Amino acid sequence: MVKTEVTLCGIALKNPIIPASGTFGFGYEFAELYDINCLGSISVKGTTVSPRFGNRTPRIAETPSGMLNSVGLQNPGADAVVETELPRLAAVFDGPVMANVSGFSVGDFTAACEKLDAAPQVGWLEVNISCPNVHGGGMAFGTSPEAAAEVTRAVRKIAKKPVIVKLSPNVTDIVSVAKAVEDAGADGVSLINTLIGMRIDLRTKKPVLAEKKGGLSGPAVRPVAVRMVYDVYEAVKIPIVGMGGIARAEDVIEMMLAGASAVEVGAANLTDPFACRDIVKDLPAVMERYGIEDLESIIGGAH
Amino acid sequence: MKKVKLTVLSNERLTKDVFEMRLGGDVSAVTRPGGFVDVRLEGYFLRRPISVADREDGSISLIYKTVGDGTRAMSGLGEGAVLDVLTGLGNGYDPDASGDKPLLIGGGVGVPPLFWLCRELVKRGKEPSVILGFNHADEVFLEDRFRALSVPVAVTTADGSRGVRGFVTDAMDDFDYTYFYACGPLPMLRAVAGSSRTDGELSFEERMGCGFGACMGCSVMTKNGPVRVCREGPVLGKEDVIW
Ligand SMILES: Cc1cc2nc3c(=O)[nH]c(=O)nc-3n(C[C@H](O)[C@H](O)[C@H](O)COP(=O)(O)OP(=O)(O)OC[C@H]3O[C@@H](n4cnc5c(N)ncnc54)[C@H](O)[C@@H]3O)c2cc1C
Ligand SMILES: Cc1cc2nc3c(=O)[nH]c(=O)nc-3n(C[C@H](O)[C@H](O)[C@H](O)COP(=O)(O)O)c2cc1C
Ligand code: FES
């Protein structure tokens, strides 16, 4: 029997598979399809202190081996998440939940984090300083080491739960941002959020997305994500949650060899609602094929 | 929702760029006219959402227009090809919401889902009438099959090459109706809602990431707050739509 258990910031997971924020709703709708208790954890939809409708449509465009989205953080707001969404998830999922949080000012981040940190089922806060789909904030925090550190410090001060800071790939040097948030007290980092991209419709001769640009994800970005996880692993001591294009058990192992302690699966859930279940199911056989007995032992193995 | 493998039973051309694909297999999740399926195509990342035009025991029919690479690839699939399909998506029309005389209004490739709906309405003892809108005479499809249900059918064409010259709204006043069901391009839906004298239901399209409610890619604002076109839709009540 192979061992798939891993530990993330002191919390044990039965396996490292976590559906990525924004691609799994608040989880309970997938429970109609399969028993979601097979998952290591669930990163729920990015939550802001106040409700947001998000951007105009079209919000979605297809790309080679991937997609663009410009959803723009549609969510019912932190209070509704704590009062309605998390209890609905608790009815169908026993494990610790990753609460993904966004904001437009340091005060926004701390206000939303404070509410979610208090929910008993929340295991970690995943602080998204990297959303490319909102104007006036979002990603700005993730593109400057100083601003990233400032948000991290503020959240770390008020949070009781481990703080994982989600990094933007839309920077020249992701390592300097990772180091800055580690120094500011982050308990972990997750990467990558989406890469900014654009598609133009030949029939209308205009951008497909109403917001013109959106975030690229899916298998197309996986080599970029693997490279960034590899670089960040060399530079920080805190654990890394790796994501970007993961669609199969083999991809999980590749990301962990690069340095990830756990992984998130995003766009794959959208094209196949059973993607995470199947990755979990396939993982032991794929580990055996590559002679891996203990998954935790391969973290950073490529270095 | 069910994820199933369906086999292409036939895939035939109805007009220059409209095809009908019949798919066989487990279609038990397909229960509501106006609902849709999401078809995975080899070489394309996102699935293609297509309305169910008709359903029989063990098979469904999709009628689609070749507008881009994905639907063109679909049109090239032959009998026996196996497709990975998410079935039973969307809320669909409510065939019980209408009075005795519902009016069905379809434009272009908005026509297909109204066919199964029409059969269901007839089955319930209602007396539906149908308006089918197209641009030119050579684009008309499904007219014969509606007529075979013995329901009144009006065809409109923008250039007058067939039936009433003009748009579907130019034929609406010829009918006495208690409720309406519409599907077609956005400008048509807006015009139908504006000209209609009764309550009704309209089917909308949005670009979709998942088709089953996970990504918020298809959200639109209504008078009842945000809804996902793939889940609370694609059919919305006339009173709920913000134009
Ligand atoms: C609920 C619903 C039901 C539909 N029912 C039918 C039907 O019965 N018959 C039919 O001919 N068409 C229908 N459509 C439209 C159909 O989905 C598109 O024509 C098709 O996806 C185009 O794919 P493509 O690869 O040929 O075009 P491309 O333009 O190359 O597609 C690129 C991307 O845009 C998406 N896209 C393009 N046009 C549309 C559109 N109008 N709506 C949604 N997504 C789009 C594609 O799915 C794909 O992800 C429906 C759409 C929705 C949302
Ligand atoms: C439709 C969609 C919505 C997303 N929403 C969020 C979000 O709310 N918060 C967040 O941190 N990341 C969000 N992301 C980014 C993903 O969590 C993930 O970082 C990215 O998609 C890369 O992984 P993938 O290639 O497996 O999709 C979203 C991605 C998609 C496709
Ligand atoms: S397309 Fe994903 S929620 Fe509707």
Side-chain angles (χ1 to χ4, degrees):
Chain A
M1 270 301 279
V2 295
K3 183 174 167 293
T4 59
E5 288 85 1
V6 295
T7 306
L8 181 59
C9 306
I11 302 174
L13 302 181
K14 62 179 78 157
N15 62 59
I17 315 302
I18 306 171
S21 179
T23 63
F24 214 70
F26 288 92
Y28 51 82
E29 282 169 337
F30 283 80
E32 295 167 19
L33 304 176
Y34 64 89
D35 182 1
I36 59 175
N37 281 308
C38 69
L39 303 170
S41 176
I42 295 170
S43 178
V44 295
K45 178 64 196 171
T47 301
T48 47
V49 64
S50 313
R52 280 178 58 85
F53 172 61
N55 293 326
R56 290 168 302 147
T57 57
R59 296 176 174 184
I60 302 287
E62 189 178 55
T63 67
S65 294
M67 62 182 286
L68 296 173
N69 91 82
S70 62
V71 169
L73 293 175
Q74 181 177 348
N75 78 92
D79 287 329
V81 168
V82 170
E83 281 153 31
T84 314
E85 305 294 336
L86 290 181
R88 285 181 77 175
L89 176 55
V92 289
F93 183 67
D94 303 331
V97 170
M98 197 177 275
N100 184 284
V101 184
S102 265
F104 301 88
S105 66
V106 173
D108 277 359
F109 274 103
T110 51
C113 283
E114 212 161 3
K115 292 176 196 281
L116 289 155
D117 187 62
Q121 93 213 74
V122 169
W124 314 260
L125 295 169
E126 184 179 48
V127 181
N128 174 17
I129 55 167
S130 47
C131 184
N133 290 323
V134 289
H135 300 292
M139 195 175 70
F141 288 103
T143 52
S144 132
E146 294 74 28
E150 192 192 345
V151 176
T152 307
R153 243 187 320 271
V155 173
R156 186 55 284 164
K157 203 181 280 169
I158 58 104
K160 297 191 178 64
K161 309 279 169 68
V163 174
I164 295 173
V165 180
K166 185 161 177 179
L167 306 180
S168 172
N170 300 300
V171 293
T172 328
D173 179 16
I174 195 166
V175 169
S176 63
V177 186
K179 277 184 167 153
V181 301
E182 179 182 44
D183 290 344
D187 302 286
V189 286
S190 62
L191 60 144
I192 59 175
N193 207 317
T194 54
L195 288 144
I196 298 173
M198 186 189 227
R199 286 224 55 193
I200 295 168
D201 186 330
L202 301 192
R203 284 165 291 199
T204 61
K205 305 189 173 52
K206 292 280 183 286
V208 173
L209 299 174
E211 297 294 322
K212 299 189 176 72
K213 299 170 204 171
L216 177 67
S217 63
V221 310
R222 203 172 80 235
V224 178
V226 169
R227 184 269 293 178
M228 288 185 164
V229 167
Y230 186 92
D231 284 350
V232 169
Y233 183 84
E234 302 245 301
V236 302
K237 294 193 178 59
I238 50 179
I240 300 168
V241 182
M243 76 194 89
I246 292 175
R248 308 181 308 156
E250 285 84 346
D251 307 341
V252 175
I253 292 173
E254 185 181 10
M255 196 62 89
M256 292 182 74
L257 287 168
S261 293
V263 302
E264 291 184 34
V265 178
N269 296 306
L270 308 183
T271 61
D272 182 353
F274 298 97
C276 281
R277 180 200 66 178
D278 292 346
I279 292 172
V280 169
K281 210 161 37 179
D282 295 345
L283 192 56
V286 175
M287 286 170 64
E288 267 171 31
R289 188 180 320 144
Y290 292 98
I292 299 163
E293 274 168 27
D294 177 0
L295 203 49
E296 204 150 39
S297 73
I298 69 162
I299 297 167
H303 292 262
Chain B
M1 177 188 40
K2 257 193 190 177
K3 186 178 122 171
V4 293
K5 298 268 189 232
L6 299 179
T7 307
V8 177
L9 303 177
S10 62
N11 192 14
E12 283 161 12
R13 191 186 286 267
L14 301 184
T15 70
K16 184 166 59 67
D17 53 7
V18 174
F19 291 74
E20 175 170 24
M21 177 182 279
R22 286 202 316 120
L23 292 168
D26 174 6
V27 294
S28 56
V30 181
T31 54
R32 299 169 301 266
F36 67 100
V37 299
D38 222 352
V39 182
R40 165 165 262 167
L41 297 168
E42 195 63 47
Y44 297 89
F45 189 68
L46 298 176
R47 291 168 184 267
R48 275 16 183 203
I50 308 283
S51 302
V52 177
D54 202 5
R55 178 196 194 285
E56 282 167 49
D57 277 347
S59 75
I60 55 173
S61 154
L62 311 179
I63 297 180
Y64 59 95
K65 183 173 175 173
T66 51
V67 296
D69 292 340
T71 45
R72 265 195 291 277
M74 256 177 97
S75 71
L77 294 171
E79 196 186 320
V82 176
L83 290 173
D84 173 333
V85 186
L86 299 180
T87 55
L89 304 176
N91 60 347
Y93 293 108
D94 180 357
D96 298 314
S98 70
D100 295 342
K101 295 187 167 185
L103 181 60
L104 281 55
I105 309 159
V109 278
V111 167
L114 300 179
F115 182 69
W116 182 19
L117 173 67
C118 193
R119 287 210 306 128
E120 289 295 321
L121 292 167
V122 171
K123 217 190 267 175
R124 283 167 169 72
K126 306 200 181 204
E127 296 168 34
S129 304
V130 183
I131 304 174
L132 308 176
F134 299 95
N135 288 313
H136 312 285
D138 62 2
E139 292 176 9
V140 178
F141 63 90
L142 281 195
E143 183 188 354
D144 300 348
R145 269 189 253 176
F146 276 105
R147 290 201 191 279
L149 298 176
S150 305
V151 301
V153 179
V155 173
T156 69
T157 50
D159 62 358
S161 52
R162 256 312 281 292
V164 179
R165 182 193 194 93
F167 301 104
V168 290
T169 41
D170 294 314
M172 283 173 71
D173 284 340
D174 300 342
F175 293 92
D176 182 24
Y177 56 95
T178 54
Y179 197 77
F180 73 89
Y181 299 98
C183 185
L186 192 60
M188 184 203 101
L189 297 180
R190 191 184 288 120
V192 166
S195 322
S196 59
R197 288 178 271 106
T198 67
D199 207 353
E201 300 172 17
L202 306 107
S203 181
F204 289 82
E205 280 185 3
E206 278 298 340
R207 301 259 174 165
M208 294 185 172
C210 64
F212 54 89
C215 72
M216 302 293 149
C218 64
S219 295
V220 295
M221 190 53 91
T222 70
K223 288 177 189 160
N224 295 322
V227 301
R228 294 162 296 184
V229 168
C230 71
R231 187 114 178 174
E232 290 81 31
V235 177
L236 302 180
K238 172 180 153 181
E239 300 305 329
D240 299 336
V241 179
I242 301 172
W243 294 104

